[in-house]
Amino acid sequence: MTVALYTHADMLDHRPGANHTERPERLTAVVDALSDASDLDLEPRDAPLVEPSDLARVHLPMYVQAIFEAAPRQGMLMLDEDTYMSPGSLNAARRAAGSVVQAVRDVAAGEQQRAFCAVRPPGHHAEPHRPMGFCIFSNIAVAARVAQSCGLKRIAVVDFDVHHGNGTQAAFAGHEDLFFASVQQWPMWPGTGHPDEAVPANIKNAVVPPGAPAEAWRKAFESLMPHVDAFAPDLILISAGFDAHAYDPVGDAFQNLEAPDFDWATRAIASVARKHSQGRIVSSLEGGYGLEALGRSAVAHVRALSAA
């Protein structure tokens, strides 16, 4: 199966600092690894700049305006203790959100069935009213609302980053036509996502303790799939974070996953998509900071998208 690959070189111009974990080389590692995988049938597509009106489907209009107006022309702007903007960051963030938005529009139009968005900055920590954790705009949540505007009414997001997608949860909470399922380490920043947390019925979280074997992570992930199945989505979006890999420096090897685990999880998601969503899946890159492990994991993920 052909997988559309949305990305753009502008996203390399988001430069949050020479020693920042979320560095441009992440995107290069993913795109190069995918290009080197000769068995993949990829259709490259440029990521457009997301429109403010689409961002406002999730973010407060005053927040969108503030980010646009604050974007620096030189130097660095600190948005929070982890999140910075350089002169290229606004366009990069607009391309990142624009990637996922365009992918869901193309899927809704029947132009393709599967897409992977190689993007940075990531998005699943950005809340409707604030940036957070390297994230400026909530790429996947914005895309979910755009998908609904295109006629795909029931949208599920599956998030398998080592950190909880608090921003997506905040955007989805209480909306019966949206569903968020997330597996993450506990305890772990940002301190949300434990199953005991009081959340609406359209949110399901699962956790894995530090140092757990891959089998424990798979069991936690698998516990989410019946809930996604019961929701019967018209489209599944994936927040694909690879920082639970055993050799990821941010995950600090607390989760012992390797590329085959991400392949397995992707195939499980695809099984639900075939049943309810006519196979439609759009995936977007979130975390993953060890370059070699990130590249291998992304290839395994996209390979599973193309095969399942």
Side-chain angles (χ1 to χ4, degrees), residues 77-101:
L77 173 68
M78 184 173 74
L79 299 177
D80 74 5
E81 61 183 5
D82 298 312
T83 313
Y84 297 80
M85 292 184 77
S86 67
S89 295
L90 178 58
N91 272 359
R94 291 184 68 189
R95 297 280 186 196
S99 292
V100 201
V101 164

Side-chain angles (χ1 to χ4, degrees), residues 56-246:
R57 297 176 189 271
V58 168
H59 293 287
L60 298 180
M62 66 180 64
Y63 171 71
V64 176
Q65 181 179 354
I67 289 293
F68 273 65
E69 292 178 352
R73 296 186 178 182
Q74 60 184 4
M76 194 80 68
L77 173 68
M78 184 173 74
L79 299 177
D80 74 5
E81 61 183 5
D82 298 312
T83 313
Y84 297 80
M85 292 184 77
S86 67
S89 295
L90 178 58
N91 272 359
R94 291 184 68 189
R95 297 280 186 196
S99 292
V100 201
V101 164
Q102 190 61 49
V104 300
R105 284 196 165 114
D106 292 343
V107 166
E111 294 182 20
Q112 66 219 17
Q113 189 180 63
R114 303 278 170 89
F116 178 67
C117 303
V119 304
R120 60 179 296 274
H124 70 156
H125 296 308
E127 297 186 349
H129 66 294
R130 64 172 177 170
M132 188 175 174
F134 310 164
C135 304
I136 298 173
F137 298 130
S138 188
N139 306 327
I140 210 91
V142 170
R145 284 306 197 186
V146 169
Q148 291 182 317
S149 76
C150 295
L152 301 175
K153 297 303 183 184
R154 296 175 65 79
I155 313 299
V157 169
V158 179
D159 187 322
F160 52 68
D161 195 276
V162 78
H163 305 96
H164 182 238
N166 59 289
T168 312
Q169 177 171 294
F172 278 26
H175 296 281
E176 294 182 356
D177 52 358
L178 299 170
F179 189 83
F180 179 62
S182 180
V183 60
Q184 52 276 329
Q185 180 177 295
W186 183 273
M188 175 61 88
W189 184 95
T192 56
H194 194 276
D196 290 342
E197 180 182 345
V199 294
N202 70 319
I203 307 293
K204 293 295 178 184
N205 290 307
V207 295
V208 183
E215 291 77 14
W217 184 90
R218 288 192 181 205
K219 183 177 181 180
F221 179 88
E222 203 166 29
S223 74
L224 297 171
M225 289 298 99
H227 299 288
V228 181
D229 184 19
F231 179 71
D234 298 317
L235 170 68
I236 299 179
L237 305 179
I238 303 176
S239 275
F242 302 112
D243 42 5
H245 193 284

